[in-house]
Amino acid sequence: MMTGSVGLGYAERLQVGFTQEVIAATEVIRRRYADVRTLIDIGGEDSKMVFFEDGRVPDMRMNGNCAGGTGSFIDQTATLLGVETIELNELAKHAEHIHPIASRCGVFSKTDIQNLLARNVPRTDIAASMFRAVSMQVVSALARGVEIQAKVFLCGGPFAYLPELKKHLLTAMSMDESDCIMSDEPQLIPATGCALLANGEAIKISELRHRIDEQEQQLSLLGKQSHGLPALFADEAECLAWKQQRQITIKSNNQRLSSGRYYLGIDSGSTTTKVVLIDEDGQIAFSDYSFNRGDSLGACRDALERMQAAAVDAGKVEIVKSAVTGYGESLLKTAFDLDAGIVETMAHFMAAKQIEPEVSFILDIGGQDMKAIFVEHGSIRRIEINEACSSGCGSFIMTFANQLGYEISHFAELANYAKSPYDLGTRCTVFMNSKVKQAMREGAGVDDIAAGLSYSVIKNCLFKVLKMPSAEELGRHIVVQGGTFKNLSVVRALEKMTGAEVRFTDRPELMGALGAALYAKTL
């Protein structure tokens, strides 16, 4: 008997039984723990709660279209803190304070964590705060007003390796150790339930291994089949010709800073910091792009030091005015005594008009957010932004590139030349893990998955954020911005999905900072 998010496909191909995870775990409770009234199972991509009442069918509940409060949520926090997941437990033991962290979306939580890091909040406190956030999400999202009664049975990998998570969950439920039951190996409960439910004909291990070998051979053939989406480019020659036609080169003097008057623009994003210095003619004299790594203040300081080092004679470089935009606007404006702050949408609008005066639509996709700006008669008519979900943003693609062991630049290049992009749909960043595993199980190559993710970014934007009935609403002068569009496959996917021509610059990641610098020039 098999279970799990990818178990159904394997069970069918290997000709063995399958059961749903909650049913498997419930069977363990039914046979071995008669006094349990509530089961809570936290897995890698889902969380489950089951209420037991004598004489009634168990009330089973699972998280829906968001993976907040799951094991992957915890893994993402560990990555952000630069530690192994298991190390979070030791950190949390020494916490002194609990801070609020968004728990609904695993990617949005990064913003809260980065802000805490920027304020020099100890990592011990952040680890404990994350455990508390996960616990509150599990209780609020799954209980939904139903009383959680003791005894409570806890299972799933996170409980097996992170005892501090259990402590915070008990606090969230106003319970103590005496109200809780946990087996020696809570990560094996669904597998144990499978063993208890297993029936049918006996099969030898050698036969099962033979069936697995046969499936591997069939997968290699499946990989050659179409996966539902058109190729982005026929070959490298088509890609280069398209790039020359669509890409706009931003004017830059590409020199070391000489004496003169300049205007400084800074875009302090959720994951990166961008700095642009323009001269009196609006040309970029200096630019810098760096990852925050949890410290937006330090990232900006380091970028400004690199700018100073680029000056031939720093004493004769005059920064007339300065402006900042992005997540860290208020922090950086105060810390570096900058002249002004500007809303991100306005910064991107000013940059887009600089390169395409007749711009009708601007799509900016950053690390954790996306902004769609509709322009009419030279003014902003409407703005749409993602709110409750960050699927389809820059972190979305980077997450999968890292998981599959690729640098993001190489991953993006593979997407350009995929012959059969896999249709992955639009899903939560964490839930997409299952879809990617399914794609690989069906023989899709990494290039097909990379191209499919590029399509998913655009589908998420068009259908989940904009809910767009027709591409005509975008107009004829479309400009895309943000670091995500350094990935040409995402730009091309937008064209394929809308049938429109899209313009972009050779430095899409700097457009927010350029807009801030242009605004500073107007002060």
Side-chain angles (χ1 to χ4, degrees):
M1 183 75 72
M2 296 186 75
T3 190
S5 59
V6 298
L8 179 58
Y10 282 124
E12 290 176 347
R13 289 187 169 89
L14 299 177
Q15 302 171 43
V16 299
F18 174 82
T19 188
Q20 211 279 336
E21 285 180 83
V22 179
I23 294 175
T26 299
E27 186 67 13
V28 176
I29 301 302
R30 189 179 73 82
R31 297 202 194 189
R32 298 183 176 180
Y33 300 95
D35 56 342
V36 166
R37 289 293 171 265
T38 309
L39 178 146
I40 298 177
D41 177 5
I42 298 181
E45 300 176 13
D46 55 23
S47 54
K48 300 170 275 289
M49 190 175 290
V50 183
F51 298 97
F52 298 91
E53 187 174 339
D54 293 338
R56 301 187 65 175
V57 175
D59 180 0
M60 304 179 183
R61 304 181 178 198
M62 294 182 64
N63 58 324
N65 60 358
C66 179
T70 65
S72 291
F73 183 98
I74 297 171
D75 289 339
Q76 290 175 3
T77 302
T79 299
L80 195 59
L81 295 181
V83 299
E84 295 294 327
T85 300
I86 200 167
E87 294 179 63
L88 291 172
N89 196 74
E90 190 63 30
L91 287 172
K93 286 182 181 179
H94 305 289
E96 297 182 358
H97 302 285
I98 299 296
H99 303 267
I101 292 177
S103 59
R104 182 177 178 187
C105 176
V107 180
F108 281 166
S109 70
K110 290 182 181 180
T111 302
D112 289 338
I113 293 172
Q114 286 166 334
N115 287 337
L116 292 174
L117 287 169
R119 289 162 41 196
N120 291 321
V121 171
R123 292 172 184 246
T124 52
D125 287 358
I126 294 174
S129 299
M130 181 273 301
F131 284 148
R132 182 64 57 84
V134 168
S135 301
M136 296 301 294
Q137 175 71 9
V138 169
V139 171
S140 62
L142 299 182
R144 296 194 293 274
V146 175
E147 182 183 0
I148 300 176
Q149 298 182 7
K151 294 201 181 278
V152 176
F153 186 88
L154 304 180
C155 62
F159 289 124
Y161 305 110
L162 303 169
E164 286 297 300
L165 175 61
K166 172 187 172 183
K167 184 181 78 174
H168 285 278
L169 180 62
L170 290 175
T171 299
M173 297 187 297
S174 300
M175 293 183 177
D176 55 37
E177 288 283 350
S178 64
D179 298 314
C180 173
I181 296 176
M182 198 164 76
S183 72
D184 292 337
E185 295 183 295
Q187 74 275 24
L188 299 181
I189 295 301
T192 303
C194 279
L196 294 173
L197 289 167
N199 53 37
E201 297 182 4
I203 180 173
K204 292 185 178 181
I205 294 294
S206 58
E207 170 60 20
L208 191 60
R209 293 186 63 179
H210 174 68
R211 294 180 188 180
I212 291 173
D213 291 340
E214 286 186 330
Q215 287 303 310
E216 288 182 341
Q217 294 176 6
Q218 291 184 23
L219 286 179
S220 65
L221 296 177
L222 281 171
K224 300 175 183 179
Q225 299 177 0
S226 173
H227 301 302
L229 292 172
L232 296 169
F233 298 101
D235 50 35
E236 186 175 358
E238 182 187 9
C239 178
L240 291 175
W242 170 85
K243 181 179 177 182
Q244 290 176 355
Q245 184 182 21
R246 301 285 198 274
Q247 182 174 280
I248 301 169
T249 301
I250 298 179
K251 292 182 179 180
S252 173
N253 58 26
N254 294 318
Q255 302 282 338
R256 286 178 58 84
L257 286 176
S258 56
S259 60
R261 292 160 55 88
Y262 298 94
Y263 302 89
L264 175 65
I266 301 172
D267 181 1
S268 179
S270 56
T271 57
T272 58
T273 294
K274 288 77 66 176
V275 173
V276 163
L277 199 66
I278 62 173
D279 59 23
E280 293 281 10
D281 296 325
Q283 293 190 7
I284 296 179
F286 173 86
S287 65
D288 190 271
Y289 179 94
S290 60
F291 286 93
N292 295 338
R293 306 194 187 283
D295 184 6
S296 55
L297 196 66
C300 183
R301 179 196 62 232
D302 294 343
L304 294 178
E305 288 178 353
R306 287 190 288 271
M307 182 179 73
Q308 185 177 31
V312 176
D313 185 350
K316 294 183 179 180
V317 173
E318 179 186 358
I319 297 179
V320 182
K321 293 289 182 180
S322 56
V324 59
T325 190
Y327 282 91
E329 175 192 330
S330 297
L331 175 65
L332 267 59
K333 183 176 182 295
T334 302
F336 296 102
D337 195 24
L338 304 174
D339 293 303
I342 177 174
V343 176
E344 282 185 88
T345 49
M346 291 304 301
H348 285 282
F349 175 53
M350 293 188 72
K353 285 193 69 175
Q354 177 81 354
I355 64 166
E356 180 59 77
E358 297 182 18
V359 60
S360 60
F361 176 75
I362 306 162
L363 179 60
D364 169 55
I365 300 183
Q368 296 178 23
D369 62 8
M370 120 183 4
K371 295 175 282 292
I373 306 170
F374 295 84
V375 181
E376 189 173 312
H377 304 305
S379 299
I380 294 177
R381 174 171 61 88
R382 177 162 65 95
I383 298 172
E384 298 285 350
I385 62 173
N386 62 321
E387 294 178 350
C389 179
S390 63
S391 62
C393 296
S395 293
F396 180 84
I397 296 179
M398 185 173 291
T399 295
F400 288 101
N402 293 338
Q403 285 182 359
L404 294 172
Y406 286 82
E407 291 292 330
I408 184 63
S409 57
H410 186 199
F411 194 70
E413 186 175 358
L414 287 174
N416 288 335
Y417 310 120
K419 299 300 182 184
S420 184
Y422 194 99
D423 189 353
L424 297 166
T426 58
R427 307 192 75 195
C428 165
T429 304
V430 178
F431 284 159
M432 187 65 81
N433 281 324
S434 296
K435 193 70 174 177
V436 168
K437 290 173 187 174
Q438 176 186 335
M440 298 183 75
R441 189 172 68 243
E442 294 179 359
V446 173
D447 54 346
D448 296 331
I449 292 171
L453 288 169
S454 296
Y455 272 108
S456 291
V457 167
I458 299 306
K459 286 184 177 182
N460 181 72
C461 170
L462 299 182
F463 304 136
K464 292 178 71 175
V465 176
L466 300 181
K467 298 178 176 62
M468 200 179 67
S470 170
E472 294 179 0
E473 190 177 0
L474 306 183
R476 295 187 302 167
H477 302 279
I478 300 173
V479 175
V480 293
Q481 303 177 352
T484 300
F485 289 110
K486 286 174 67 68
N487 183 342
L488 297 183
S489 64
V490 179
V491 185
R492 183 62 167 170
L494 178 59
E495 288 198 338
K496 290 282 189 178
M497 293 292 295
T498 63
E501 291 189 2
V502 178
R503 305 300 299 276
F504 57 97
T505 73
D506 58 335
R507 301 183 183 186
E509 74 280 11
L510 297 180
M511 297 302 281
L514 175 60
L518 292 169
Y519 176 67
K521 196 169 182 292
T522 68
L523 297 176

